[in-house]
Amino acid sequence: MGANSSSISELPENEYLKKLSGAEPISENDPFWNQLLSFSFTTPTNSADLKLLEEATISVCKSLAGLWTVFTLGGVGSKSSPQLEQCSPLANQSLLLLLVLANLTDAPDTPNPYRQAIMSFKNTQDNTAFSSSNPHAFQINFNSLYTALCEQQKSDQATLLLYMLLHQNGNVRTYVLARTDIENLVLPILEILYHVEERNSHHVYMALIILLILTEDDGFNRSIHEVILKNITWYAERVLTEISLGSLLILVVIRTIQYNMTRTRDKYLHTNCLAALANMSAQFRSLHQYAAQRIISLFSLLSKKHNKVLEQATQSLRGSLGSNDSPLPDYVISFFSSRLEQAGAELSVERVLEIIKQGAVALPKDRLRKFPELKFKYVEEEQPEEFFIPYVWSLVYNSAVALYWNPHDIQLFTMDSG
Protein backbone atom coordinates (compact mmCIF):
# COMPACT_ATOMS: atom_id res chain seq x y z
CA MET A 1 0.00 0.00 0.00
CA GLY A 2 1.01 3.58 -0.55
CA ALA A 3 1.52 6.80 1.33
CA ASN A 4 -1.89 7.28 2.92
CA SER A 5 -2.10 5.63 6.33
CA SER A 6 -4.98 4.00 8.20
CA SER A 7 -5.00 2.81 11.76
CA ILE A 8 -6.19 -0.74 12.40
CA SER A 9 -9.28 0.55 14.18
CA GLU A 10 -10.34 2.47 11.05
CA LEU A 11 -10.19 -0.54 8.72
CA PRO A 12 -13.85 -1.67 9.17
CA GLU A 13 -15.03 1.71 7.82
CA ASN A 14 -12.45 2.03 5.04
CA GLU A 15 -14.54 2.81 1.95
CA TYR A 16 -12.04 1.22 -0.42
CA LEU A 17 -11.97 -2.08 1.44
CA LYS A 18 -15.78 -2.05 1.46
CA LYS A 19 -15.86 -1.51 -2.29
CA LEU A 20 -13.26 -4.25 -2.84
CA SER A 21 -15.33 -6.79 -0.91
CA GLY A 22 -18.68 -5.63 -2.31
CA ALA A 23 -20.83 -7.24 -5.00
CA GLU A 24 -20.54 -4.46 -7.59
CA PRO A 25 -18.06 -5.08 -10.46
CA ILE A 26 -14.98 -2.84 -10.67
CA SER A 27 -13.38 -2.03 -14.02
CA GLU A 28 -9.69 -2.77 -14.41
CA ASN A 29 -9.15 0.88 -15.39
CA ASP A 30 -11.05 2.29 -12.42
CA PRO A 31 -8.97 4.84 -10.40
CA PHE A 32 -10.15 2.88 -7.37
CA TRP A 33 -7.19 0.49 -7.68
CA ASN A 34 -4.61 3.26 -7.35
CA GLN A 35 -6.51 4.76 -4.44
CA LEU A 36 -6.75 1.38 -2.70
CA LEU A 37 -3.02 0.80 -3.06
CA SER A 38 -2.21 4.22 -1.68
CA PHE A 39 -3.24 3.18 1.83
CA SER A 40 -1.10 1.41 4.41
CA PHE A 41 -1.33 0.48 8.06
CA THR A 42 1.22 -0.42 10.68
CA THR A 43 2.15 -4.09 10.67
CA PRO A 44 1.11 -5.81 13.93
CA THR A 45 4.05 -6.69 16.16
CA ASN A 46 2.35 -8.44 19.07
CA SER A 47 -0.60 -10.67 19.84
CA ALA A 48 -2.78 -7.78 21.00
CA ASP A 49 -2.33 -5.99 17.68
CA LEU A 50 -3.04 -9.21 15.77
CA LYS A 51 -6.27 -9.75 17.70
CA LEU A 52 -7.28 -6.14 17.02
CA LEU A 53 -6.55 -6.60 13.30
CA GLU A 54 -8.61 -9.80 13.18
CA GLU A 55 -11.57 -8.16 14.90
CA ALA A 56 -11.36 -5.07 12.71
CA THR A 57 -11.35 -6.96 9.42
CA ILE A 58 -13.79 -9.79 10.16
CA SER A 59 -16.65 -8.27 8.15
CA VAL A 60 -14.40 -7.56 5.16
CA CYS A 61 -12.92 -11.08 5.29
CA LYS A 62 -16.38 -12.65 5.34
CA SER A 63 -17.34 -10.72 2.22
CA LEU A 64 -14.11 -11.65 0.47
CA ALA A 65 -14.57 -15.30 1.47
CA GLY A 66 -17.94 -15.22 -0.19
CA LEU A 67 -16.39 -13.97 -3.41
CA TRP A 68 -13.64 -16.56 -3.13
CA THR A 69 -16.14 -19.40 -2.91
CA VAL A 70 -17.60 -18.19 -6.19
CA PHE A 71 -14.26 -18.40 -7.95
CA THR A 72 -13.48 -21.78 -6.41
CA LEU A 73 -16.99 -23.06 -7.23
CA GLY A 74 -18.02 -23.15 -3.61
CA GLY A 75 -21.35 -21.54 -3.30
CA VAL A 76 -22.78 -18.01 -3.29
CA GLY A 77 -24.70 -16.56 -6.16
CA SER A 78 -27.96 -15.16 -7.36
CA LYS A 79 -30.20 -17.44 -5.28
CA SER A 80 -30.01 -19.96 -2.48
CA SER A 81 -28.67 -23.35 -3.43
CA PRO A 82 -30.17 -26.83 -3.27
CA GLN A 83 -28.18 -29.35 -1.27
CA LEU A 84 -26.90 -30.97 -4.48
CA GLU A 85 -25.15 -27.81 -5.58
CA GLN A 86 -23.58 -27.24 -2.17
CA CYS A 87 -22.24 -30.79 -2.01
CA SER A 88 -20.99 -31.01 -5.60
CA PRO A 89 -20.31 -27.46 -6.78
CA LEU A 90 -17.74 -28.42 -9.42
CA ALA A 91 -19.99 -31.14 -10.87
CA ASN A 92 -22.92 -28.74 -10.92
CA GLN A 93 -20.92 -25.98 -12.59
CA SER A 94 -19.60 -28.43 -15.16
CA LEU A 95 -23.11 -29.68 -15.91
CA LEU A 96 -24.38 -26.14 -16.41
CA LEU A 97 -21.52 -25.42 -18.81
CA LEU A 98 -22.26 -28.64 -20.70
CA LEU A 99 -25.94 -27.70 -21.03
CA VAL A 100 -25.08 -24.21 -22.28
CA LEU A 101 -22.66 -25.59 -24.89
CA ALA A 102 -24.95 -28.40 -26.01
CA ASN A 103 -27.81 -25.97 -26.57
CA LEU A 104 -25.89 -23.51 -28.72
CA THR A 105 -27.49 -23.08 -32.13
CA ASP A 106 -25.84 -24.67 -35.15
CA ALA A 107 -23.59 -22.60 -37.42
CA PRO A 108 -24.79 -22.19 -41.04
CA ASP A 109 -22.57 -24.99 -42.34
CA THR A 110 -21.49 -26.76 -39.14
CA PRO A 111 -23.65 -28.59 -36.58
CA ASN A 112 -22.99 -27.78 -32.94
CA PRO A 113 -20.07 -30.12 -32.08
CA TYR A 114 -21.07 -30.33 -28.41
CA ARG A 115 -24.56 -31.49 -29.32
CA GLN A 116 -23.06 -33.96 -31.78
CA ALA A 117 -20.91 -35.37 -28.99
CA ILE A 118 -23.94 -35.65 -26.66
CA MET A 119 -25.83 -37.51 -29.37
CA SER A 120 -23.13 -40.06 -30.17
CA PHE A 121 -21.00 -41.01 -27.16
CA LYS A 122 -20.87 -44.71 -26.25
CA ASN A 123 -20.35 -46.97 -23.26
CA THR A 124 -16.78 -47.88 -22.36
CA GLN A 125 -17.84 -51.52 -22.69
CA ASP A 126 -18.92 -50.97 -26.30
CA ASN A 127 -16.13 -52.30 -28.52
CA THR A 128 -17.69 -51.37 -31.85
CA ALA A 129 -15.67 -48.98 -34.00
CA PHE A 130 -16.53 -45.28 -34.14
CA SER A 131 -17.91 -43.92 -37.36
CA SER A 132 -15.30 -42.00 -39.33
CA SER A 133 -17.96 -39.41 -40.13
CA ASN A 134 -18.30 -38.41 -36.49
CA PRO A 135 -15.14 -36.83 -35.09
CA HIS A 136 -16.86 -35.90 -31.80
CA ALA A 137 -17.65 -39.40 -30.52
CA PHE A 138 -16.16 -40.58 -27.24
CA GLN A 139 -16.75 -43.23 -24.56
CA ILE A 140 -17.91 -42.97 -20.95
CA ASN A 141 -18.78 -45.44 -18.22
CA PHE A 142 -22.57 -45.78 -18.53
CA ASN A 143 -22.94 -47.45 -15.16
CA SER A 144 -21.41 -44.45 -13.38
CA LEU A 145 -23.47 -42.08 -15.50
CA TYR A 146 -26.69 -43.98 -14.72
CA THR A 147 -25.94 -44.00 -10.98
CA ALA A 148 -25.29 -40.26 -10.95
CA LEU A 149 -28.47 -39.52 -12.90
CA CYS A 150 -30.54 -41.63 -10.51
CA GLU A 151 -29.14 -39.77 -7.50
CA GLN A 152 -29.46 -36.19 -8.75
CA GLN A 153 -32.98 -35.84 -10.19
CA LYS A 154 -34.00 -33.25 -7.58
CA SER A 155 -31.91 -30.87 -9.64
CA ASP A 156 -33.46 -29.22 -12.73
CA GLN A 157 -30.21 -29.48 -14.64
CA ALA A 158 -29.79 -33.21 -13.96
CA THR A 159 -33.32 -33.89 -15.20
CA LEU A 160 -32.66 -31.78 -18.29
CA LEU A 161 -29.48 -33.75 -19.00
CA LEU A 162 -31.37 -37.03 -18.62
CA TYR A 163 -33.99 -35.80 -21.08
CA MET A 164 -31.33 -34.81 -23.62
CA LEU A 165 -29.57 -38.16 -23.36
CA LEU A 166 -32.74 -40.24 -23.67
CA HIS A 167 -34.06 -38.16 -26.54
CA GLN A 168 -30.86 -37.66 -28.54
CA ASN A 169 -28.50 -40.54 -27.72
CA GLY A 170 -29.76 -43.96 -28.78
CA ASN A 171 -26.88 -45.68 -26.98
CA VAL A 172 -27.92 -44.23 -23.62
CA ARG A 173 -31.61 -44.89 -24.23
CA THR A 174 -30.95 -48.55 -25.07
CA TYR A 175 -28.76 -48.96 -21.99
CA VAL A 176 -31.31 -47.36 -19.64
CA LEU A 177 -34.19 -49.46 -20.97
CA ALA A 178 -32.11 -52.62 -20.45
CA ARG A 179 -31.41 -51.91 -16.78
CA THR A 180 -32.97 -54.33 -14.31
CA ASP A 181 -33.10 -51.61 -11.64
CA ILE A 182 -35.10 -49.12 -13.68
CA GLU A 183 -37.05 -48.16 -10.54
CA ASN A 184 -33.95 -46.28 -9.32
CA LEU A 185 -34.43 -43.86 -12.20
CA VAL A 186 -38.22 -43.82 -12.47
CA LEU A 187 -39.00 -43.23 -8.79
CA PRO A 188 -37.19 -39.85 -8.58
CA ILE A 189 -38.98 -38.77 -11.77
CA LEU A 190 -42.35 -39.76 -10.27
CA GLU A 191 -41.53 -37.86 -7.11
CA ILE A 192 -40.96 -34.70 -9.18
CA LEU A 193 -44.42 -35.09 -10.73
CA TYR A 194 -46.01 -35.94 -7.39
CA HIS A 195 -44.75 -32.64 -5.93
CA VAL A 196 -45.86 -30.74 -9.03
CA GLU A 197 -47.05 -27.76 -7.01
CA GLU A 198 -43.53 -27.30 -5.58
CA ARG A 199 -41.68 -27.56 -8.90
CA ASN A 200 -41.31 -25.04 -11.68
CA SER A 201 -43.20 -25.88 -14.85
CA HIS A 202 -40.06 -26.57 -16.89
CA HIS A 203 -38.86 -29.23 -14.44
CA VAL A 204 -42.28 -30.88 -14.54
CA TYR A 205 -42.28 -30.83 -18.35
CA MET A 206 -38.90 -32.54 -18.50
CA ALA A 207 -39.91 -35.22 -15.99
CA LEU A 208 -43.12 -35.97 -17.87
CA ILE A 209 -41.43 -36.10 -21.27
CA ILE A 210 -38.87 -38.53 -19.86
CA LEU A 211 -41.75 -40.82 -18.85
CA LEU A 212 -43.32 -40.43 -22.28
CA ILE A 213 -40.05 -41.42 -23.98
CA LEU A 214 -39.70 -44.45 -21.70
CA THR A 215 -43.29 -45.56 -22.33
CA GLU A 216 -42.64 -45.67 -26.07
CA ASP A 217 -40.88 -48.98 -25.35
CA ASP A 218 -43.13 -52.04 -24.85
CA GLY A 219 -40.44 -53.81 -22.84
CA PHE A 220 -40.43 -50.96 -20.33
CA ASN A 221 -44.24 -51.03 -20.14
CA ARG A 222 -44.16 -54.75 -19.32
CA SER A 223 -41.26 -54.72 -16.88
CA ILE A 224 -42.60 -51.94 -14.63
CA HIS A 225 -45.48 -54.22 -13.58
CA GLU A 226 -42.99 -56.85 -12.43
CA VAL A 227 -41.14 -54.49 -10.06
CA ILE A 228 -42.76 -54.55 -6.62
CA LEU A 229 -42.18 -51.58 -4.34
CA LYS A 230 -42.76 -51.37 -0.60
CA ASN A 231 -43.71 -48.40 1.56
CA ILE A 232 -43.70 -45.40 -0.77
CA THR A 233 -43.46 -42.81 2.00
CA TRP A 234 -43.77 -39.70 -0.18
CA TYR A 235 -47.18 -40.76 -1.57
CA ALA A 236 -49.53 -39.17 0.96
CA GLU A 237 -53.05 -39.80 -0.40
CA ARG A 238 -53.03 -43.44 0.59
CA VAL A 239 -50.73 -45.85 2.42
CA LEU A 240 -49.01 -47.96 -0.23
CA THR A 241 -47.33 -50.83 1.59
CA GLU A 242 -46.84 -52.87 -1.59
CA ILE A 243 -47.45 -51.78 -5.16
CA SER A 244 -45.92 -52.37 -8.57
CA LEU A 245 -43.87 -49.65 -10.21
CA GLY A 246 -46.36 -49.67 -13.08
CA SER A 247 -49.35 -49.06 -10.79
CA LEU A 248 -47.49 -46.26 -8.98
CA LEU A 249 -46.62 -44.67 -12.30
CA ILE A 250 -50.31 -44.74 -13.29
CA LEU A 251 -51.34 -43.18 -9.97
CA VAL A 252 -48.83 -40.32 -10.26
CA VAL A 253 -49.67 -39.55 -13.90
CA ILE A 254 -53.42 -39.53 -13.16
CA ARG A 255 -52.82 -37.29 -10.14
CA THR A 256 -50.88 -34.91 -12.40
CA ILE A 257 -53.79 -34.87 -14.87
CA GLN A 258 -56.28 -34.06 -12.13
CA TYR A 259 -54.02 -31.36 -10.68
CA ASN A 260 -53.67 -29.85 -14.13
CA MET A 261 -57.43 -29.90 -14.75
CA THR A 262 -58.18 -28.04 -11.52
CA ARG A 263 -55.16 -25.73 -11.29
CA THR A 264 -52.90 -24.96 -14.24
CA ARG A 265 -55.08 -26.11 -17.19
CA ASP A 266 -51.95 -26.62 -19.29
CA LYS A 267 -52.91 -28.28 -22.58
CA TYR A 268 -49.34 -29.46 -23.24
CA LEU A 269 -49.09 -31.16 -19.84
CA HIS A 270 -52.54 -32.72 -20.27
CA THR A 271 -51.76 -34.16 -23.70
CA ASN A 272 -48.46 -35.71 -22.65
CA CYS A 273 -49.93 -37.28 -19.51
CA LEU A 274 -52.69 -38.95 -21.53
CA ALA A 275 -50.18 -40.03 -24.18
CA ALA A 276 -48.02 -41.76 -21.54
CA LEU A 277 -51.09 -43.55 -20.14
CA ALA A 278 -52.14 -44.66 -23.62
CA ASN A 279 -48.64 -45.98 -24.37
CA MET A 280 -48.72 -48.10 -21.21
CA SER A 281 -52.32 -49.27 -21.51
CA ALA A 282 -51.77 -52.32 -23.73
CA GLN A 283 -49.35 -53.72 -21.12
CA PHE A 284 -51.42 -53.11 -17.97
CA ARG A 285 -51.01 -56.18 -15.75
CA SER A 286 -52.15 -57.01 -12.19
CA LEU A 287 -52.94 -53.42 -11.34
CA HIS A 288 -53.17 -52.35 -7.73
CA GLN A 289 -56.82 -51.91 -6.72
CA TYR A 290 -56.32 -48.23 -6.01
CA ALA A 291 -54.69 -47.66 -9.42
CA ALA A 292 -57.65 -49.40 -11.12
CA GLN A 293 -60.08 -47.18 -9.19
CA ARG A 294 -58.21 -44.06 -10.25
CA ILE A 295 -58.37 -45.12 -13.92
CA ILE A 296 -62.14 -45.56 -13.65
CA SER A 297 -62.47 -42.20 -11.91
CA LEU A 298 -60.45 -40.56 -14.66
CA PHE A 299 -62.61 -42.21 -17.32
CA SER A 300 -65.75 -40.97 -15.61
CA LEU A 301 -64.39 -37.44 -15.30
CA LEU A 302 -63.21 -37.24 -18.89
CA SER A 303 -66.42 -38.76 -20.25
CA LYS A 304 -68.33 -35.83 -18.82
CA LYS A 305 -65.92 -32.99 -19.51
CA HIS A 306 -63.58 -33.91 -22.34
CA ASN A 307 -65.20 -36.10 -25.00
CA LYS A 308 -62.49 -35.25 -27.52
CA VAL A 309 -59.81 -37.02 -25.47
CA LEU A 310 -61.88 -40.08 -24.52
CA GLU A 311 -60.24 -42.22 -27.18
CA GLN A 312 -56.96 -41.96 -25.29
CA ALA A 313 -58.43 -42.49 -21.81
CA THR A 314 -60.65 -45.43 -22.70
CA GLN A 315 -57.70 -47.30 -24.17
CA SER A 316 -56.75 -47.92 -20.54
CA LEU A 317 -59.97 -49.92 -20.06
CA ARG A 318 -59.42 -52.49 -22.80
CA GLY A 319 -58.65 -55.21 -20.30
CA SER A 320 -62.10 -54.75 -18.69
CA LEU A 321 -63.72 -56.12 -21.86
CA GLY A 322 -61.77 -59.36 -21.56
CA SER A 323 -59.97 -59.25 -24.93
CA ASN A 324 -56.98 -57.39 -26.25
CA ASP A 325 -58.30 -58.00 -29.77
CA SER A 326 -61.47 -55.96 -29.23
CA PRO A 327 -60.44 -52.33 -28.83
CA LEU A 328 -62.93 -49.50 -28.43
CA PRO A 329 -64.14 -47.72 -31.59
CA ASP A 330 -66.13 -44.51 -31.50
CA TYR A 331 -69.52 -46.12 -31.03
CA VAL A 332 -68.25 -47.95 -27.93
CA ILE A 333 -67.28 -44.62 -26.40
CA SER A 334 -70.79 -43.34 -27.06
CA PHE A 335 -72.26 -46.60 -25.75
CA PHE A 336 -70.57 -46.34 -22.36
CA SER A 337 -70.91 -42.54 -22.12
CA SER A 338 -74.68 -42.73 -22.63
CA ARG A 339 -75.01 -45.39 -19.92
CA LEU A 340 -73.03 -43.24 -17.51
CA GLU A 341 -75.18 -40.20 -18.32
CA GLN A 342 -78.39 -42.19 -17.83
CA ALA A 343 -77.19 -43.29 -14.39
CA GLY A 344 -77.10 -39.68 -13.24
CA ALA A 345 -74.49 -37.38 -11.77
CA GLU A 346 -72.20 -37.76 -8.72
CA LEU A 347 -71.56 -41.47 -9.30
CA SER A 348 -69.21 -43.33 -6.97
CA VAL A 349 -66.20 -45.18 -8.37
CA GLU A 350 -67.86 -48.49 -7.50
CA ARG A 351 -71.07 -47.53 -9.34
CA VAL A 352 -69.15 -46.42 -12.48
CA LEU A 353 -67.25 -49.73 -12.50
CA GLU A 354 -70.51 -51.66 -12.14
CA ILE A 355 -72.08 -49.78 -15.08
CA ILE A 356 -69.03 -50.48 -17.26
CA LYS A 357 -69.08 -54.19 -16.37
CA GLN A 358 -72.77 -54.47 -17.16
CA GLY A 359 -72.26 -52.54 -20.39
CA ALA A 360 -69.40 -54.81 -21.45
CA VAL A 361 -71.79 -57.79 -21.28
CA ALA A 362 -74.51 -56.00 -23.26
CA LEU A 363 -72.16 -54.50 -25.86
CA PRO A 364 -72.99 -55.81 -29.39
CA LYS A 365 -69.83 -57.77 -30.22
CA ASP A 366 -70.72 -58.10 -33.91
CA ARG A 367 -70.16 -54.38 -34.39
CA LEU A 368 -66.61 -54.44 -33.00
CA ARG A 369 -63.86 -53.80 -35.48
CA LYS A 370 -60.10 -53.95 -35.22
CA PHE A 371 -58.89 -50.71 -33.65
CA PRO A 372 -55.21 -49.83 -33.96
CA GLU A 373 -53.26 -49.79 -30.74
CA LEU A 374 -52.73 -46.25 -29.52
CA LYS A 375 -49.07 -45.30 -29.54
CA PHE A 376 -47.63 -41.84 -29.06
CA LYS A 377 -44.08 -40.70 -29.71
CA TYR A 378 -42.45 -37.59 -28.35
CA VAL A 379 -41.31 -35.09 -30.99
CA GLU A 380 -39.59 -31.80 -30.24
CA GLU A 381 -41.13 -28.56 -31.45
CA GLU A 382 -39.86 -27.10 -34.72
CA GLN A 383 -37.70 -24.52 -32.93
CA PRO A 384 -36.81 -26.15 -29.60
CA GLU A 385 -34.11 -23.58 -28.90
CA GLU A 386 -36.83 -21.04 -28.10
CA PHE A 387 -37.65 -23.15 -25.04
CA PHE A 388 -34.31 -24.69 -24.11
CA ILE A 389 -31.89 -21.74 -24.40
CA PRO A 390 -33.80 -19.45 -21.99
CA TYR A 391 -34.39 -22.44 -19.71
CA VAL A 392 -30.71 -23.33 -19.53
CA TRP A 393 -29.64 -19.75 -18.88
CA SER A 394 -32.27 -19.37 -16.16
CA LEU A 395 -30.69 -22.41 -14.48
CA VAL A 396 -27.27 -20.77 -14.75
CA TYR A 397 -28.60 -17.56 -13.23
CA ASN A 398 -30.37 -19.35 -10.38
CA SER A 399 -27.43 -21.59 -9.58
CA ALA A 400 -25.70 -20.77 -6.32
CA VAL A 401 -22.27 -21.42 -7.81
CA ALA A 402 -22.71 -18.93 -10.62
CA LEU A 403 -21.03 -15.55 -10.74
CA TYR A 404 -23.14 -12.55 -9.92
CA TRP A 405 -25.60 -11.56 -12.67
CA ASN A 406 -27.23 -8.15 -12.64
CA PRO A 407 -30.97 -8.93 -12.85
CA HIS A 408 -31.63 -5.59 -14.57
CA ASP A 409 -29.55 -6.65 -17.57
CA ILE A 410 -31.35 -9.97 -18.19
CA GLN A 411 -33.32 -10.01 -21.44
CA LEU A 412 -33.37 -13.70 -22.40
CA PHE A 413 -35.83 -14.94 -19.76
CA THR A 414 -38.21 -13.60 -17.14
CA MET A 415 -37.17 -13.54 -13.51
CA ASP A 416 -39.94 -15.97 -12.51
CA SER A 417 -38.97 -18.64 -15.07
CA GLY A 418 -36.60 -20.43 -12.70
Side-chain angles (χ1 to χ4, degrees):
M1 292 190 178
N4 295 326
S5 179
S6 293
S7 68
I8 292 179
S9 61
E10 294 173 339
L11 290 179
E13 304 303 322
N14 187 294
E15 59 180 301
Y16 298 102
L17 288 179
K18 286 184 175 181
K19 186 172 182 178
L20 175 66
S21 60
E24 294 297 320
I26 306 173
S27 167
E28 60 182 342
N29 297 320
D30 194 307
F32 159 82
W33 297 110
N34 289 330
Q35 294 165 334
L36 174 70
L37 295 175
S38 70
F39 282 87
S40 64
F41 62 90
T42 304
T43 303
T45 57
N46 55 57
S47 59
D49 287 345
L50 285 171
K51 181 180 180 182
L52 182 62
L53 176 62
E54 180 178 347
E55 293 173 347
T57 57
I58 187 168
S59 61
V60 174
C61 289
K62 284 183 176 179
S63 299
L64 288 173
L67 290 175
W68 178 247
T69 57
V70 168
F71 292 112
T72 56
L73 309 179
V76 298
S78 306
K79 289 191 177 181
S80 61
S81 148
Q83 185 175 0
L84 162 68
E85 297 177 1
Q86 293 178 344
C87 295
S88 308
L90 181 59
N92 182 63
Q93 192 79 332
S94 300
L95 175 52
L96 290 169
L97 176 60
L98 174 63
L99 292 174
V100 168
L101 294 175
N103 284 280
L104 294 174
T105 54
D106 295 333
D109 300 320
T110 308
N112 178 350
Y114 303 102
R115 185 182 297 121
Q116 294 296 307
I118 287 287
M119 294 171 62
S120 60
F121 70 82
K122 302 191 300 183
N123 194 354
T124 50
Q125 297 180 356
D126 187 344
N127 296 321
T128 58
F130 286 108
S131 171
S132 58
S133 62
N134 188 356
H136 309 297
F138 64 96
Q139 289 180 294
I140 190 174
N141 186 308
F142 277 17
N143 183 61
S144 298
L145 175 64
Y146 180 81
T147 300
L149 289 171
C150 291
E151 293 174 349
Q152 308 297 350
Q153 287 308 305
K154 290 184 179 179
S155 155
D156 275 68
Q157 44 266 41
T159 304
L160 178 54
L161 177 64
L162 175 59
Y163 157 77
M164 291 175 58
L165 296 179
L166 289 176
H167 176 55
Q168 300 178 6
N169 191 313
N171 300 322
V172 173
R173 184 167 58 253
T174 300
Y175 177 86
V176 168
L177 290 169
R179 293 286 302 206
T180 57
D181 59 347
I182 192 67
E183 68 274 13
N184 291 340
L185 187 68
V186 174
L187 281 174
I189 298 298
L190 294 183
E191 196 167 353
I192 293 170
L193 292 177
Y194 184 81
H195 297 293
V196 58
E197 67 279 358
E198 301 173 12
R199 303 291 180 180
N200 69 71
S201 60
H202 290 2
H203 200 183
V204 172
Y205 286 156
M206 292 298 99
L208 181 57
I209 293 171
I210 287 169
L211 288 184
L212 179 56
I213 292 173
L214 293 174
T215 61
E216 293 172 13
D217 182 78
D218 286 338
F220 171 84
N221 295 330
R222 287 190 298 270
S223 65
I224 56 176
H225 294 289
E226 299 171 0
V227 178
I228 304 301
L229 308 169
K230 297 182 182 296
N231 299 320
I232 307 301
T233 56
W234 48 262
Y235 193 94
E237 278 82 353
R238 185 176 178 128
V239 176
L240 300 176
T241 56
E242 186 172 294
I243 188 172
S244 71
L245 179 61
S247 291
L248 181 63
L249 199 160
I250 293 168
L251 286 175
V252 173
V253 171
I254 290 178
R255 184 181 185 275
T256 306
I257 292 173
Q258 293 175 326
Y259 175 85
N260 184 58
M261 291 175 69
T262 57
R263 303 283 188 87
T264 57
R265 301 182 183 276
D266 187 321
K267 181 179 178 182
Y268 183 83
L269 192 68
H270 206 66
T271 301
N272 283 282
C273 283
L274 289 172
L277 277 181
N279 283 351
M280 293 187 292
S281 62
Q283 306 296 335
F284 282 175
R285 297 290 185 275
S286 304
L287 295 185
H288 190 280
Q289 180 182 8
Y290 185 51
Q293 289 176 348
R294 301 313 297 161
I295 292 174
I296 299 299
S297 296
L298 177 64
F299 173 82
S300 177
L301 182 63
L302 293 178
S303 69
K304 296 174 182 177
K305 294 185 177 182
H306 299 277
N307 288 330
K308 291 183 179 180
V309 295
L310 270 178
E311 185 173 314
Q312 293 179 15
T314 53
Q315 177 73 358
S316 302
L317 298 173
R318 287 172 51 185
S320 299
L321 296 177
S323 173
N324 286 338
D325 297 324
S326 300
L328 301 174
D330 293 340
Y331 86 89
V332 178
I333 298 175
S334 301
F335 178 85
F336 283 103
S337 295
S338 63
R339 284 179 168 254
L340 289 171
E341 291 173 0
Q342 292 171 10
E346 304 299 329
L347 299 176
S348 66
V349 172
E350 292 75 15
R351 179 57 180 153
V352 172
L353 181 58
E354 181 182 354
I355 293 171
I356 291 175
K357 287 181 177 179
Q358 292 173 353
V361 175
L363 183 68
K365 303 298 190 295
D366 58 327
R367 296 186 60 188
L368 289 174
R369 58 180 172 81
K370 184 66 177 178
F371 188 73
E373 184 177 296
L374 289 175
K375 207 69 175 175
F376 297 87
K377 183 178 178 62
Y378 169 72
V379 178
E380 276 189 347
E381 301 290 341
E382 289 186 5
Q383 295 180 305
E385 65 275 4
E386 294 182 359
F387 172 85
F388 286 104
I389 291 178
Y391 180 30
V392 169
W393 278 105
S394 70
L395 295 179
V396 173
Y397 171 81
N398 289 321
S399 172
V401 295
L403 294 174
Y404 174 77
W405 305 89
N406 188 337
H408 302 294
D409 293 335
I410 295 174
Q411 301 179 15
L412 186 61
F413 57 89
T414 60
M415 294 301 296
D416 59 354
S417 64

